[in-house]
Amino acid sequence: MDALELVGNTPLIELKRVVPDRRKVRILAKAEYFNASGSVKDRAARAMILDGIRSGKLSGAKTIVDATSGNTGIAYAMIGAVLGIAVELYLPANVTEERKLTMRSYGAKLVETDALEGIDGAYKACRRAVNKDPLKYFYPDQYVNEANWKAHYEGTAEEIWAQTEGKLTHFLAGTGTSGTFMGCARKLKEKNKKIKCYNVTPDSPFHGIEGIKHRMMVLKDGFFDESISDGQPAVSTEEAYHMSRRLAREEGLFVGISSGANVAAAVRLAEKLPEGSMIVTILCDGGSRYVTGELWRVEDNGGWGI
Ligand SMILES: Cc1ncc(COP(=O)(O)O)c(C=O)c1O
């Protein structure tokens, strides 16, 4: 066994205390921080890299390159270490120190770009490097790579179906590249077209829910298909932070901000659903990814104190 086999087959955890009434509506959360490098992005990164090897695009002494400010970079770095492939990551200079350290510890080379230009600046610099020396690099480009959502179509969704014995009625997930949501929603609706699937969105384009994007900021050429979604519950940064803290204190689940956003939306949905419904959502990464940020530092006064 190697670390690549520690991706997938994550536990599905039932929430007990943050749920309005679990005898009426159950909420289950897929604990993706159990993946080898600690996030849901291991699935997509592994699928894109193995697809590159299978198709011949990733061969010889090529270097894996991409622009990423977080979990995908850590996932590439871990997988590169397992397979003995060099990894070069473009990222805004203000990415937190613990993330940079994690990527470097797996052996990745980091290229820091202007913090003021954010992830867009990192993308531009990454594309420039690829255009300059195309034969050197394998560029998975997670926003357009079909292997991304297929990893969830073939993996995450099948696991959810088996773990709930096909009993789920609703699925919710926030969207970054939208790979998790698109792959799961497509497969789950194929299994049972009555399953409702919602993509959770930040309530404003300028928000603090790391890893997920407001629709206005989503690339037009990506694979997000709105027609698959049954609705887009909006969650504020305050609500997401508050729920992340509640998950730690009331459920013993130390998870990140996008996980808080997913569960906050799930709890709101549970209040509206008929008895016997079962909601499944995603815990995207662990709380330790946010130790130098505000998430765990501020005394929570009910969601309005940040
Ligand atoms: C913390 C976190 N949550 C959610 C997501 C969204 O996942 P996806 O890209 O599959 O939409 C990401 C993606 O980077 C993430 O890092």
Side-chain angles (χ1 to χ4, degrees):
M1 186 177 215
D2 63 26
L4 278 195
E5 291 168 71
L6 298 175
V7 178
N9 293 315
T10 52
L12 187 68
I13 297 172
E14 176 149 18
L15 304 183
K16 294 185 178 141
R17 294 190 184 83
V18 301
V19 179
D21 183 354
R22 65 190 274 245
R23 286 161 307 180
K24 212 173 138 230
V25 177
R26 297 170 69 191
I27 302 179
L28 296 112
K30 191 96 171 114
E32 289 297 303
Y33 55 97
F34 277 81
N35 284 310
S37 88
S39 87
V40 67
K41 299 306 303 195
D42 278 4
R43 293 179 185 265
R46 181 180 64 176
M48 292 187 289
I49 289 170
L50 294 183
D51 182 63
I53 293 171
R54 252 191 314 268
S55 67
K57 287 183 194 149
L58 173 52
S59 58
K62 277 194 177 173
T63 296
I64 297 165
V65 69
D66 216 333
T68 157
S69 58
N71 288 326
T72 309
I74 294 173
Y76 286 141
M78 179 273 291
I79 296 164
V82 178
L83 298 175
I85 302 173
V87 176
E88 191 173 306
L89 301 167
Y90 286 74
L91 71 179
N94 60 340
V95 163
T96 61
E97 210 47 48
E98 68 263 21
R99 279 182 209 204
K100 289 185 203 163
L101 265 173
T102 311
M103 295 179 209
R104 282 202 186 100
S105 303
Y106 282 122
K109 178 185 162 194
L110 306 191
V111 181
E112 297 187 22
T113 55
D114 190 345
L116 293 177
E117 288 183 40
I119 190 68
D120 290 344
Y123 267 110
K124 278 187 211 144
C126 174
R127 290 220 174 92
R128 267 199 305 275
V130 174
N131 290 338
K132 210 169 142 200
D133 198 352
L135 294 180
K136 179 180 173 196
Y137 294 113
F138 170 67
Y139 177 32
D141 202 356
Q142 58 166 340
Y143 282 89
V144 296
N145 191 324
E146 303 277 320
N148 175 348
W149 68 264
K150 284 183 186 161
H152 300 284
Y153 179 85
E154 285 154 14
T156 324
E158 289 286 0
E159 292 168 28
I160 291 170
W161 184 255
Q163 286 167 314
T164 59
E165 296 169 335
K167 290 191 188 122
L168 78 157
T169 55
H170 295 76
F171 174 78
L172 284 151
T175 53
T177 64
S178 83
T180 312
F181 176 77
M182 289 305 301
C184 289
R186 258 198 196 120
K187 175 57 69 79
L188 293 171
K189 280 177 181 282
E190 274 172 29
K191 298 267 192 199
N192 175 0
K193 61 180 184 320
K194 290 196 185 136
I195 296 174
K196 298 264 186 245
C197 298
Y198 301 92
N199 64 294
V200 178
T201 180
D203 68 348
S204 137
F206 307 101
H207 62 91
I209 311 175
E210 272 183 55
I212 67 172
K213 290 194 166 187
H214 188 270
R215 281 240 343 275
M216 254 174 66
M217 308 306 245
V218 172
L219 293 174
K220 298 269 183 304
D221 57 354
F223 43 69
F224 180 67
D225 175 2
E226 202 172 343
S227 70
I228 287 264
S229 174
D230 293 290
Q232 307 198 57
V235 174
S236 70
T237 301
E238 290 82 357
E239 214 183 340
Y241 268 60
H242 181 55
M243 186 53 82
S244 300
R245 293 170 183 151
R246 284 193 67 192
L247 286 166
R249 286 179 198 166
E250 298 176 45
E251 303 278 355
L253 299 171
F254 189 53
V255 294
I257 309 162
S258 66
S259 309
N262 285 345
V263 174
V267 166
R268 255 199 268 137
L269 178 64
E271 283 159 4
K272 298 188 205 327
L273 294 182
E275 193 156 343
S277 305
M278 183 193 283
I279 304 172
V280 172
T281 194
I282 306 284
L283 303 176
C284 313
D285 63 2
S288 54
R289 289 257 142 107
Y290 304 87
V291 287
T292 56
E294 287 302 301
L295 181 58
W296 307 117
R297 283 170 204 283
V298 179
E299 201 52 51
D300 197 327
N301 69 357
W304 310 108
I306 60 166

